[in-house]
Amino acid sequence: MTLQDIQKDIQEGIPSKVPPAKPYDSSVNHAPKRKQILSKEEEKLALKNALRYFPSEQHAELLPDFKHELETYGRIYMYRYRPNYKLHARDIKEYPGKCEQAKAIMLMIHNNLDYAVAQHPHELITYGGNGAVFQNWAQYRLTMKYLSEMTEEQTLVMYSGHPMGLFPSHKDAPRVVVTNGMMIPNYSKQDDWEKYNALGVTQYGQMTAGSYMYIGPQGIVHGTTITVLNAGRKIAKDGEGLAGKLFLTAGLGGMSGAQPKAGNIAGCITVCAEINEKATQTRHSQGWVDEVITDLDELVMRIKTAKANKEVVSIAYQGNIVDVWEKLDEENVKVDLGSDQTSLHNPWAGGYYPVGFSLEESNKMMAENPEQFKKEVQKSLVRHANAINNHTGKGTYFFDYGNAFLLEASRAGADIMAENGIDFKYPSYVQDIMGPMCFDFGFGPFRWVCASNDPADLLKTDEIACQVLEELQKESPAEIQQQMADNIQWIKGAQENKLVVGSQARILYADALGRMKIAEAFNKAIEKGEIGPVVLGRDHHDVSGTDSPFRETSNIYDGSQFTADMAIQNVIGDSFRGATWVSIHNGGGVGWGEVINGGFGMLLDGTADADRRLKSMLHWDVNNGIARRNWARNEGATFAIKRAMEMEPRLKVTVPNLVDDSLFD
């Protein structure tokens, strides 16, 4: 299709005529069949809900097709409405529309659905097994049409993938407001997602899938690199590095695909198990994992050789992670660092596969005998935990990577609890590393996307960001010198590490001052014509955006880790301080009903208006979380918020008075 044809297709929205059915493409990585959870009356309701996108004279033709999808896949995806053009991030100038901000959002939606980026592109799922951009292709088409028509005095309202419509607003309002999975609290169990998603009335947006801010596995490479580096520092003796040390983990499908690349950057041996051969081959073909091994004995020999030679290498094991932990225990191979990034927020629908079964056998059991599948998953989790316990008894440092591994293992009855019977035996990586070292000081995953889609622009932004950080480091206090040094090292190596998958994007951990200074420098470069427009964003896995007691807020100890005020305040505050779009989600990372998370996107176009917006919004977006962490008596956050108040006289935050524990003796 020509560019003109693509633009016309976007502007048309849902076609006036029913398009021909499309064959099921087995070469694409598809979502597993969802379990049949609807009653006959509810199936009828799901079909009526799907048909309401189309004129009544088309219902008789579409009904058998949608009924087949619901029976075959457990969802109505409307495959026949998939566009015929390739979805990927284009130059912002190529999108039709009246509003540059709306064009930026179209670009980001296309990036989330790019075959090189999305985990299950035909099911509109970006990562995590169920992290969806939309529920069906009619929603995609209608949303793109609305965006192509939008002016700067309208806001598009998105209800869990459904575009409710364009509403009058004003130029300082967000152009899009997104909610995903915002259930009444008593309806946030796992089966509730299955039911209401099957009905077509809600979706799991993960974190950056349903908020249009996913940038491929690069989005987590930096955080994983920092985590592995600092985990290595925790076990290091006399300043030794990670050379020759083994990091064992699992998952290569979505965000987890970053692990082998991060291990290479950190300088260790990484073994990452993956049950899905398509996911393994994708990461290998992209250069994100060096080698693929399918035999356990061969794997053991390869690890021993790599340890002896102190190699830096990443190896994908095509198979189940439980087998690897058990085999290395039997062979007495030392695992120095251990973790897991399978999608255990989604344990019963493809997020974790039981040991002893092939992928095909598991998917069949999942759809046809879900209760047995659940039993097998829980048996595997017990074995998984037992093998880890054996290794930690030999000196392995194991940390939970916030994927709900410890949570689901505990629910399965695994020996995973601490002696007090309340806490887990192993720390979350946020508790041990990211919380006290990064989040409390305001450092988190700042992102930008070059809307020109020009690699030269990305190179220029890398250089600008590095210059800004090096200048800031000169004046930075001792408490954050390590964070500054790690991030400067990261950005200097970003090009050579070939991190781009999909859009011309970059991630960089920065605090509020760093984010504002970098964004300000970008905006000036855009004004001078040195680079094209830039979209700012972040992962929801950040200082302020997410309330998640088993991950992002697991180092909050005043009892408020089970509240969600911070995430809600964050998205409200971003919306009136200048964000181009905002989102708030139930679920993400650790599971439906376990977390509330929010994010934003902001277009920089070189104007004074963009400069005003970025300074107002980025300051709040970070300091909201620092203020909350300070109130929880986190020492680093109290230091950071006092520093922030010194720099901004209008900022006045309540600081806690510390209580002497001896009063309670």
Side-chain angles (χ1 to χ4, degrees):
M1 295 178 73
T2 66
L3 177 59
Q4 188 175 17
D5 290 333
I6 294 170
Q7 292 174 338
K8 184 178 178 181
D9 192 270
I10 288 172
Q11 291 170 313
E12 182 184 19
I14 298 173
S16 57
K17 295 182 179 179
V18 176
K22 286 183 167 62
Y24 186 84
D25 187 350
S26 59
S27 69
V28 175
N29 192 18
H30 286 282
K33 179 182 178 181
R34 309 301 185 185
K35 67 180 179 181
Q36 300 289 347
I37 197 169
L38 301 181
S39 67
K40 289 299 179 185
E41 278 303 306
E42 288 169 337
E43 287 178 1
K44 181 179 176 181
L45 181 58
L47 291 163
K48 290 174 69 175
N49 287 346
L51 289 168
R52 61 184 161 178
Y53 285 99
F54 308 95
S56 56
E57 61 268 20
Q58 297 178 358
H59 290 182
E61 181 179 358
L62 290 172
L63 180 59
D65 190 34
F66 293 170
K67 188 172 185 291
H68 169 76
E69 288 186 8
L70 186 60
E71 292 172 350
T72 306
Y73 310 115
R75 297 292 186 272
I76 301 170
Y77 297 115
M78 307 181 187
Y79 287 128
R80 69 166 66 225
Y81 285 93
R82 281 194 298 108
N84 295 319
Y85 55 86
K86 184 178 180 181
L87 274 63
H88 65 93
R90 295 173 163 81
D91 186 332
I92 191 171
K93 296 174 185 175
E94 297 183 8
Y95 290 94
K98 305 171 184 177
C99 169
E100 288 299 296
Q101 294 180 62
K103 293 180 183 180
I105 298 166
M106 285 192 271
L107 181 158
M108 298 302 294
I109 289 172
H110 272 183
N111 186 64
N112 271 24
L113 294 172
D114 185 339
Y115 280 26
V117 174
Q119 184 181 12
H120 305 307
H122 285 192
E123 290 77 39
L124 303 113
I125 290 171
T126 302
Y127 70 95
N130 58 355
V133 187
F134 302 100
Q135 296 178 63
N136 57 60
W137 287 102
Q139 292 178 346
Y140 162 81
R141 286 183 171 274
L142 192 53
T143 298
M144 296 295 281
K145 175 180 170 63
Y146 279 140
L147 289 169
S148 74
E149 297 170 348
M150 174 187 288
T151 72
E152 291 187 350
E153 293 185 345
Q154 290 174 304
T155 292
L156 176 60
V157 177
M158 298 295 300
Y159 278 29
S160 287
H162 169 66
M164 191 61 68
L166 291 169
F167 288 77
S169 58
H170 54 83
K171 72 178 185 65
D172 281 339
R175 296 282 67 82
V176 178
V177 176
V178 178
T179 54
N180 279 302
M182 300 307 293
M183 305 297 292
I184 302 300
N186 281 347
Y187 299 87
S188 252
K189 297 180 291 296
Q190 184 65 29
D191 273 355
D192 290 326
W193 171 73
E194 293 278 3
K195 175 180 177 178
Y196 294 106
N197 187 229
L199 284 172
V201 296
T202 195
Q203 72 174 9
Y204 194 94
Q206 257 289 350
M207 291 186 146
T208 52
S211 62
Y212 326 139
M213 190 43 71
Y214 189 63
I215 59 170
Q218 179 188 179
I220 201 174
V221 171
H222 188 19
T224 306
T225 301
I226 291 174
T227 300
V228 175
L229 275 174
N230 285 288
R233 288 166 182 158
K234 292 178 80 71
I235 65 172
K237 297 175 183 177
D238 301 322
E240 66 179 350
L242 281 168
K245 290 188 166 55
L246 173 61
F247 171 43
L248 176 59
T249 185
L252 285 172
M255 297 291 271
S256 57
Q259 294 177 107
K261 173 70 80 172
N264 281 2
I265 296 170
C268 62
I269 303 160
T270 305
V271 172
C272 191
E274 171 58 57
I275 192 75
N276 187 331
E277 186 175 358
K278 286 182 179 176
T280 302
Q281 294 305 322
T282 295
R283 295 300 173 223
H284 188 235
S285 67
Q286 291 171 340
W288 284 62
V289 64
D290 299 324
E291 302 173 15
V292 177
I293 293 176
T294 59
D295 180 79
L296 280 172
D297 290 323
E298 182 185 346
L299 179 66
V300 170
M301 293 303 298
R302 184 67 186 92
I303 292 170
K304 288 180 177 179
T305 300
K307 277 179 167 282
N309 296 332
K310 294 195 171 182
E311 294 180 50
V312 175
V313 64
S314 55
I315 303 163
Y317 172 69
Q318 185 62 58
N320 197 289
I321 183 60
V322 178
D323 288 326
V324 182
W325 280 105
E326 292 179 343
K327 179 69 171 180
L328 297 186
D329 181 29
E330 293 169 11
E331 299 289 340
N332 209 28
V333 175
K334 173 72 178 294
V335 176
D336 300 279
L337 301 174
S339 193
D340 188 86
Q341 264 195 52
T342 52
S343 296
L344 268 160
H345 69 276
N346 182 31
W348 324 126
Y352 183 94
Y353 284 89
V355 65
F357 299 88
S358 69
L359 179 69
E360 293 73 20
E361 289 169 339
S362 294
N363 282 337
K364 189 172 188 289
M365 191 194 325
M366 187 195 313
E368 298 177 3
N369 193 348
E371 288 305 313
Q372 185 61 35
F373 181 79
K374 181 175 181 179
K375 289 178 183 177
E376 296 296 341
V377 164
Q378 291 190 319
K379 282 163 58 178
S380 292
L381 283 167
V382 171
R383 280 177 59 179
H384 197 158
N386 287 342
I388 289 168
N389 291 340
N390 290 345
H391 280 276
T392 57
K394 302 174 186 178
T396 297
Y397 173 69
F398 183 86
F399 56 91
D400 183 282
Y401 214 113
N403 65 330
F405 170 73
L406 294 180
L407 183 64
E408 289 301 334
S410 69
R411 290 169 175 170
D415 178 16
I416 213 75
M417 304 305 296
E419 290 184 7
N420 63 14
I422 299 171
D423 300 318
F424 294 128
K425 186 179 293 189
Y426 304 111
S428 154
Y429 75 117
V430 174
Q431 286 177 295
D432 250 20
I433 298 168
M434 300 303 287
M437 182 176 180
C438 292
F439 292 168
D440 284 354
F441 287 99
F443 284 83
F446 182 50
R447 295 178 176 180
W448 65 88
V449 177
C450 296
S452 65
N453 205 37
D454 186 348
D457 276 7
L458 184 60
L459 177 60
K460 182 66 176 176
T461 58
D462 285 346
E463 292 169 353
I464 292 170
C466 188
Q467 290 167 5
V468 169
L469 290 183
E470 287 179 332
E471 285 300 311
L472 289 176
Q473 187 185 31
K474 295 175 184 177
E475 306 296 328
S476 295
E479 287 84 350
I480 61 171
Q481 281 293 320
Q482 182 69 67
Q483 292 91 325
M484 297 296 291
D486 283 349
N487 283 288
I488 290 168
Q489 179 183 348
W490 163 266
I491 200 68
K492 283 183 174 179
Q495 292 285 333
E496 66 183 72
N497 284 315
K498 299 179 181 178
L499 298 165
V500 170
V501 176
S503 61
Q504 294 297 314
R506 186 67 72 226
I507 184 172
L508 175 72
Y509 268 54
D511 61 5
L513 181 62
R515 298 183 205 202
M516 288 187 288
K517 291 294 186 183
I518 291 170
E520 183 181 18
F522 288 169
N523 203 49
K524 287 179 179 177
I526 298 165
E527 181 187 13
K528 294 175 182 177
E530 296 172 357
I531 57 174
V534 172
V535 176
L536 300 182
R538 59 164 170 75
D539 194 353
H540 296 196
H541 172 62
D542 197 10
V543 181
S544 279
T546 297
D547 282 297
S548 178
F550 300 108
R551 195 163 80 177
E552 283 78 6
T553 44
S554 61
N555 72 317
I556 300 291
Y557 301 109
D558 68 348
S560 69
Q561 65 266 40
F562 295 99
T563 67
D565 298 85
M566 181 178 71
I568 300 299
Q569 289 282 356
N570 183 261
V571 74
I572 293 171
D574 283 356
S575 68
F576 65 75
R577 286 180 172 87
T580 301
W581 74 95
V582 292
S583 60
I584 190 76
H585 299 178
N586 165 23
V590 298
W592 182 262
E594 306 282 2
V595 50
I596 299 294
N597 66 92
F600 76 88
M602 174 181 279
L603 178 67
L604 299 183
D605 58 6
T607 62
D609 192 49
D611 186 72
R612 171 181 63 85
R613 288 167 177 259
L614 73 88
K615 289 172 181 173
S616 174
M617 202 218 72
L618 292 176
H619 184 272
W620 157 259
D621 191 66
V622 177
N623 282 301
N624 165 49
I626 299 176
R628 183 270 180 93
R629 294 168 187 277
N630 146 75
W631 187 239
R633 295 183 289 271
N634 291 17
E635 184 179 353
T638 298
F639 166 84
I641 204 65
K642 286 180 177 179
R643 181 170 175 246
M645 286 191 282
E646 290 173 3
M647 290 189 286
E648 172 51 84
R650 294 176 298 171
L651 179 66
K652 297 183 184 298
V653 171
T654 309
V655 176
N657 297 297
L658 302 182
V659 180
D660 187 345
D661 283 343
S662 67
L663 290 172
F664 302 94
D665 292 343

